Amino acid sequence: MMKFNILALIFAVLFTTFYAQANETQRIVAIGDSLTAGYGLPAGEDFVTQLEIALQEKGYKVEIENAGVSGDTTAGGLQRLDWAIGDGADYVILELGANDALRGIEPLETRRNLSRIIEVLQQKNIPILLAGMRAPPNMGSEYARDFDKIFPDLASQYKTSYYPFFLEGVAADPALNQDDYIHPNAEGVKVIIGKMLPYVTAFIEQKS
């Protein structure tokens, strides 16, 4: 009888722990620049808010923290990484590099900064979804070649989840961008969410 009681107690503890973990809200931190921060968009229309809503509608118990800072480069993201993560995260979506390209920062420096960010997060055992970026055409073909390959290279090297191009389906479309032709409008954000959502759900499921 004593043995049965002990086994029942162990089972109850394991079941309670599993149930609590299964029902625990997962914290996603989105580290990025103005594209993540929601530059020029009305409240609630930004990428982070809309992604959180889309995931919750699919039944995922998640909260996404917006750690996007307008104008941030990969160097800035590295400098504020500890602040962005705070007490920790279950997942990180990493969207940085657009401002590096706009400023013509040497691709090797961008690569080093992103590498270091990924290494720090992986040391903390935080899964990463790396969002790729492309250089604007006015930077020239050589710069674009060196810059664009940073993201697939790093995803392969560090075995992170990967979304090839954050602005897929939106870049250069006047109907989906604000007047600056750089930042997506509310309709553009919807397109980004629609294209990126399958990658994000696969990313979350990978850890589950």
Side-chain angles (χ1 to χ4, degrees):
M1 181 65 69
M2 179 68 70
K3 182 177 180 180
F4 175 79
N5 289 339
I6 291 173
L7 289 174
L9 178 61
I10 292 172
F11 176 80
V13 170
L14 290 174
F15 178 80
T16 301
T17 302
F18 173 80
Y19 182 83
Q21 290 176 342
N23 287 274
E24 183 179 347
T25 298
Q26 302 290 290
R27 179 174 181 249
I28 302 174
V29 176
I31 301 174
D33 47 40
S34 56
L35 299 174
T36 295
Y39 175 87
L41 292 169
E45 298 294 338
D46 59 281
F47 166 75
V48 168
T49 302
Q50 290 301 308
L51 179 60
E52 181 180 271
I53 291 171
L55 288 171
Q56 290 175 351
E57 287 177 346
K58 284 187 168 292
Y60 293 95
K61 299 191 69 171
V62 299
E63 291 180 353
I64 309 182
E65 182 174 324
N66 194 333
V69 174
S70 293
D72 221 357
T73 61
T74 55
L78 177 57
Q79 290 171 359
R80 66 182 176 87
L81 184 58
D82 288 341
W83 167 84
I85 295 303
D87 295 330
D90 296 295
Y91 308 92
V92 160
I93 297 174
L94 180 58
E95 177 276 308
L96 282 169
N99 288 312
D100 293 51
L102 289 172
R103 299 180 188 185
I105 292 173
E106 173 60 44
L108 185 59
E109 180 180 344
T110 299
R111 182 185 290 267
R112 281 197 296 257
N113 292 332
L114 286 172
S115 294
R116 185 57 186 147
I117 291 172
I118 292 169
E119 289 167 0
V120 170
L121 292 172
Q122 290 188 336
Q123 287 167 6
K124 297 177 182 292
N125 296 314
I126 301 175
I128 304 157
L129 172 60
L130 177 63
M133 189 52 60
R134 294 176 188 165
N138 64 300
M139 296 304 298
S141 59
E142 183 176 349
Y143 184 93
R145 183 194 65 233
D146 292 343
F147 180 88
D148 293 358
K149 69 181 182 180
I150 292 171
F151 301 90
D153 284 356
L154 293 181
S156 176
Q157 177 183 349
Y158 291 101
K159 296 178 171 55
T160 72
S161 294
Y162 177 54
Y163 181 64
F165 182 35
F166 185 81
L167 294 174
E168 182 66 42
V170 174
D173 186 338
L176 298 176
N177 284 277
Q178 299 175 43
D179 291 342
D180 60 9
Y181 298 107
I182 295 175
H183 297 93
N185 57 26
E187 289 303 312
V189 170
K190 290 178 183 178
V191 172
I192 292 171
I193 297 297
K195 291 182 176 296
M196 195 169 178
L197 188 59
Y199 290 80
V200 179
T201 55
F203 169 54
I204 294 173
E205 292 289 348
Q206 198 173 52
K207 182 184 173 184
S208 302

